[in-house]
Amino acid sequence: MNTHTVKRHVSCLLVSLLLVACASPVPKAIRQAPPDNPSLAAVRTDATGHLGRQLRWGGTIIETQNQEDATWLTVLGQPLTTSGRPGFDDDSEGRFIAIVPGFLDPKVYAPDRWITVTGTLLRTLDGLVGDFPYTYPVVEADAWYLWPVKSGWPYYHPDPWWRGSGDYRYGYHDPRYPCCPPYGY
């Protein structure tokens, strides 16, 4: 290979890597946390020391309330992955309220959907969780990303030609996959 061909291959590789890096639908503000991102637990412990700070938090939407000029999202905070996506575990450092400018449809921003927000810590707000008094950190959102819904269980396709030994009902229907009717032969 001559040097011209090598340079062309390297430049094509660099251009393709650049295009792939720019192709993410997740905003950069969501992918990268602020340098000194405070945790939700730290803010709940000392909210006054963190007022006005930039942060990136996320978790599961609990409630969506539309106000006159903004939407208030109550979120169960969860640890975020390096890309900003809420984790798959049940750990939570608490709840927070994200104030998003404008109208967000409550059917789209529905309970149990994952969201990540970046913004400024405005204040705390006293409320209740059930009958328990609770102090919510309130974040004015600059950027937010509603993560796409992933399907839970893979679709189970029974094989009509399989004739293994044993009771066919258990070969065709697994109760963990509620998508399939039981096949009782």
Side-chain angles (χ1 to χ4, degrees):
M1 270 183 156
N2 62 22
T3 57
H4 181 67
T5 306
V6 171
K7 287 180 182 178
R8 188 168 13 128
H9 286 333
V10 169
S11 63
C12 286
L13 178 65
L14 290 175
V15 168
S16 63
L17 287 175
L18 181 65
L19 289 174
V20 168
C22 296
S24 176
V26 181
K28 185 176 181 180
I30 298 297
R31 289 191 314 251
Q32 295 179 347
D36 55 347
N37 189 40
S39 70
L40 180 55
V43 170
R44 290 197 60 237
T45 303
D46 177 28
T48 57
H50 292 68
L51 291 178
R53 290 197 43 197
Q54 284 294 113
L55 50 83
R56 178 185 74 167
W57 289 342
T60 305
I61 296 174
I62 297 172
E63 184 180 21
T64 303
Q65 293 180 342
N66 284 301
Q67 305 294 330
E68 191 172 311
D69 58 349
T71 301
W72 289 39
L73 300 172
T74 304
V75 180
L76 178 66
Q78 293 174 305
L80 302 179
T81 64
T82 55
S83 65
R85 183 184 186 102
F88 289 99
D89 53 16
D90 290 332
D91 290 342
S92 174
E93 296 179 340
R95 297 171 180 214
F96 67 95
I97 294 174
I99 299 176
V100 178
F103 174 81
L104 297 179
D105 194 328
K107 289 293 185 181
V108 177
Y109 289 80
D112 297 328
R113 293 287 307 268
W114 285 345
I115 192 164
T116 304
V117 298
T118 59
T120 308
L121 183 64
L122 287 179
R123 64 181 184 276
T124 59
L125 183 67
D126 291 329
L128 294 172
V129 175
D131 292 332
F132 184 77
Y134 195 84
T135 301
Y136 292 91
V138 179
V139 178
E140 181 179 29
D142 299 328
W144 59 94
Y145 186 73
L146 185 67
W147 295 91
V149 176
K150 299 285 184 182
S151 62
W153 292 96
Y155 189 78
Y156 180 73
H157 297 281
D159 184 0
W161 303 107
W162 179 73
R163 296 290 179 241
S165 61
D167 191 347
Y168 289 119
R169 289 181 296 164
Y170 301 110
Y172 283 97
H173 178 67
D174 187 339
R176 293 177 300 161
Y177 301 103
C179 62
C180 304
Y183 293 92
Y185 289 101

